[in-house]
């Protein structure tokens, strides 16, 4: 029995990361009641109790804490709950997902999961924009507030209270990924010195963070599988008909499958973010589709049509062909979606460094994203940004 305890037996796994549970969508969403077991890239010997590591730590207040604001900033100085410890194997998947301590572990895992993805796209570590003051990000998993926010040195999560049902944002991957999106963007572009009244900085921040949430969500195998099975591989067609989106349980998908153009939005930042998010989602789906056609899994005529103008019965013909192909070759569909996701994600991430936060305009952002993309991705991005009236047509 001694050998079973020997670390050398585990050596194949010793340096591959650390296990956690993450809910890809909050557990009250139908179909997402069970969390996924994920491997984060951080090594077990790099995570301490909390959880904590060299770039972030959880501070879980023992009593109700008010959100940070201008007058109060990290570190949290009040009484804290005991830091969460990993299991004997030093993984963190030993915590009961229905327990209160799980909030701290889940919030940490979501931040790390999203950071892993965007650091991969960037090809380097993200250096926090606040690292002159705070070397580490403070994650507060539960505050007395119906909101979530990321700011100078912190990310904190409140809870929604609907008819007495408390739902902590610490269990909401979508919300956490969005907030990490804000931190990643500011760390890459820097903080604007000043923004003019017509600056698109804040609306682009919202757009970018929603894209981070959407693209990061597509990194859960279970989420991709569910999406493809539910639509029988027909993301584009359902998107165009807007049927799939309206009934979609995933917040990110509902948000991203909008039809808004720049001429139809107000100056309100979330509203003004919609065409950009829509263009990004349309590009992911268009690339996916192009790949399917190239592999003989979808009708090639789809590439030459304006799908927004097709009649319903024409859609049905295309949909049936794709569904038949999906039945026999589901793996191709998954590969196509993953490739599309990463092509667009990389272009988004890489474009950030080229932006001037003080004089940001949404058309310049779109041009920077196109410039950061490869051939086919750049073409699709250009087409979709133009349709959204974010850039002019050439
Ligand atoms: Zn936001």
């Amino acid at each position: 029995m001694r050998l079973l305890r020997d670390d050398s037996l585990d050596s194949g796994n010793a340096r591959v990361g650390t296990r956690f549970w993450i809910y890809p969508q909050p557990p009250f969403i139908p179909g997402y009641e069970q969390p996924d077991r994920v491997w984060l890239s951080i090594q077990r010997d790099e995570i301490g109790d909390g959880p904590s590591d060299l770039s972030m730590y959880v501070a879980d207040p023992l009593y109700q804490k008010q959100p940070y604001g201008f007058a109060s900033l990290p570190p949290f100085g009040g009484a804290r709950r005991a830091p969460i410890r990993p299991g004997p194997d030093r993984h963190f998947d030993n915590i009961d997902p229905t327990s209160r301590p799980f909030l701290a572990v889940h919030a940490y895992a979501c931040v790390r999961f999203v950071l892993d993805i965007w650091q991969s796209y960037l090809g380097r570590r993200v250096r926090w924009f606040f690292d002159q003051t705070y070397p580490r990000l403070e994650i507060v998993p539960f505050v007395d507030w119906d909101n979530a926010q990321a700011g100078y040195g912190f990310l904190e999560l409140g809870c929604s209270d609907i008819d007495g049902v408390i739902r902590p944002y610490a269990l909401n991957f979508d919300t956490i990924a969005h907030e990490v999106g804000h931190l990643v963007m500011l760390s890459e572009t820097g903080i604007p010195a000043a923004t003019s009244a017509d600056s698109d900085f804040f609306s682009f921040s919202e757009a970018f963070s929603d894209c981070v949430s959407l693209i990061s969500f597509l990194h859960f195998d279970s989420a991709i599988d569910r999406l493809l099975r539910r639509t029988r591989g027909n993301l584009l067609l359902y998107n165009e008909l807007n049927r799939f989106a309206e009934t979609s349980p995933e917040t990110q998908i509902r948000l991203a499958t909008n039809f808004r153009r720049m001429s139809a939005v107000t100056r309100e930042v979330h509203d003004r973010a919609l065409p950009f998010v829509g263009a990004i989602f349309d590009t992911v789906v268009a690339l996916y589709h192009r790949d399917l056609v190239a592999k003989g899994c979808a009708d090639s005529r789809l590439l030459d049509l304006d799908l927004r103008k097709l009649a319903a019965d024409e859609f049905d013909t295309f949909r049936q062909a794709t569904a038949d192909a999906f039945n026999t070759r589901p793996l191709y569909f998954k590969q196509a979606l993953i490739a599309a996701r990463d092509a667009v994600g990389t272009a988004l991430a890489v474009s950030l460094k080229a932006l001037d936060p003080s004089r940001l305009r949404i058309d310049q952002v779109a041009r920077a994203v196109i410039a950061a993309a490869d051939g086919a991705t750049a073409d699709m991005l250009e087409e979709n940004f133009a349709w959204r009236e974010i850039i002019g047509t050439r």
Side-chain angles (χ1 to χ4, degrees):
M1 290 307 287
R2 194 190 65 82
L3 268 179
L4 288 175
R5 292 173 166 275
D6 189 329
D7 273 347
S8 64
L9 264 191
D10 199 22
S11 59
N13 281 329
R15 298 294 300 172
V16 294
T18 311
R19 287 195 313 262
F20 283 83
W21 292 111
I22 295 184
Y23 288 104
Q25 294 282 288
F28 59 84
I29 302 283
Y32 288 94
E33 295 84 355
Q34 300 300 323
D36 281 18
R37 188 180 255 125
V38 298
W39 284 86
L40 300 183
S41 69
I42 188 162
Q43 309 308 330
R44 283 176 284 174
D45 56 7
E46 293 170 339
I47 310 188
D49 297 354
S52 63
D53 61 53
L54 283 177
S55 53
M56 62 187 76
Y57 63 95
V58 172
D60 197 355
L62 187 57
Y63 306 107
Q64 289 201 335
K65 171 192 173 298
Q66 294 303 305
Y68 286 127
F70 288 113
S72 62
L73 281 171
F76 175 67
R80 297 185 188 186
R81 289 170 186 270
I84 311 303
R85 303 171 63 101
D89 56 3
R90 301 196 64 181
H91 291 290
F92 279 86
D93 56 354
N94 62 322
I95 318 283
D96 174 4
T98 62
S99 67
R100 174 62 181 80
F102 183 72
L103 295 186
V105 182
H106 190 260
Y108 170 88
C110 292
V111 175
R112 266 268 152 229
F113 184 82
V114 175
L115 201 60
D116 272 6
I117 293 164
W118 292 84
Q119 289 186 151
S120 294
Y121 288 153
L122 287 164
R124 59 187 151 72
R125 288 175 67 112
V126 168
R127 281 193 56 188
W128 301 126
F129 64 97
F130 45 78
D131 75 349
Q132 297 288 312
T133 317
Y134 303 113
R136 299 195 295 166
L137 173 75
E138 182 178 283
I139 302 168
V140 186
F142 199 79
V143 293
D144 183 19
W145 191 35
D146 183 5
N147 213 336
Q149 64 173 349
Y152 200 81
F154 66 89
L155 188 161
E156 59 184 355
L157 303 158
C159 59
S160 67
D161 178 353
I162 298 167
D163 300 329
V165 180
I166 305 287
R167 286 175 174 154
Y169 290 120
L171 294 181
N172 192 321
F173 176 80
D174 174 27
T175 302
I176 299 171
H178 178 99
E179 296 305 327
V180 175
H182 282 305
L183 296 175
V184 169
M185 182 184 152
L186 279 169
S187 298
E188 290 298 306
T189 65
I191 303 175
T195 51
S196 57
D198 65 345
S199 163
D200 288 322
F201 181 80
F202 294 105
S203 52
F204 175 61
S205 277
E206 294 310 322
F208 180 76
S209 294
D210 282 340
C211 293
V212 166
S213 179
L214 172 72
I215 288 172
S216 303
F217 169 69
L218 292 176
H219 277 261
F220 291 103
D221 275 351
S222 67
I224 289 192
D225 284 347
R226 240 175 242 133
L227 203 58
L228 292 179
R229 268 187 278 116
R230 197 169 73 233
T231 58
R232 321 260 354 119
N234 278 301
L235 297 185
L236 188 61
L237 298 181
Y238 278 88
N239 176 26
E240 299 306 325
L241 277 182
N242 212 14
R243 281 190 214 156
F244 146 66
E246 277 169 10
T247 57
S248 180
E250 300 89 356
T251 320
Q252 295 99 324
I253 305 288
R254 281 202 305 279
L255 200 69
T257 46
N258 72 78
F259 291 90
R260 306 292 288 282
R261 301 186 194 212
M262 291 309 282
S263 57
V265 297
T266 63
R267 291 295 308 178
E268 195 278 321
V269 292
H270 296 91
D271 198 46
R272 199 170 160 78
L274 287 173
F276 190 95
V277 181
I280 290 298
F281 184 72
D282 288 353
T283 303
V284 171
V285 177
L287 282 171
Y288 159 81
H289 208 219
R290 188 175 167 276
D291 203 351
L292 290 182
V293 169
K295 287 177 177 144
C297 293
D299 191 319
S300 64
R301 287 174 299 162
L302 280 177
L303 299 182
D304 309 317
L305 293 166
D306 184 348
L307 294 159
R308 296 171 185 99
K309 292 180 182 154
L310 275 189
D313 60 332
E314 293 173 295
F315 270 116
D316 289 339
T317 312
F318 288 121
R319 193 158 36 231
Q320 192 54 49
T322 312
D324 291 346
F326 180 72
N327 274 341
T328 38
R329 305 165 92 183
L331 280 184
Y332 277 26
F333 285 70
K334 191 170 175 179
Q335 284 167 3
L337 185 52
I338 288 172
R341 169 199 80 190
D342 292 339
V344 174
T346 304
L348 264 176
V350 171
S351 72
L352 291 176
K353 265 284 180 258
L355 306 180
D356 174 356
S358 301
R359 282 195 295 270
L360 198 102
R361 285 168 41 115
I362 200 76
D363 58 319
Q364 292 166 344
V365 177
R367 290 285 175 208
V369 178
I370 294 168
D374 294 334
T377 310
D379 293 345
M380 297 278 184
L381 282 164
E382 180 153 12
E383 198 176 298
N384 284 303
F385 282 135
W387 189 84
R388 298 281 173 169
E389 303 169 342
I390 292 170
I391 58 172
T393 40
R394 283 193 179 149

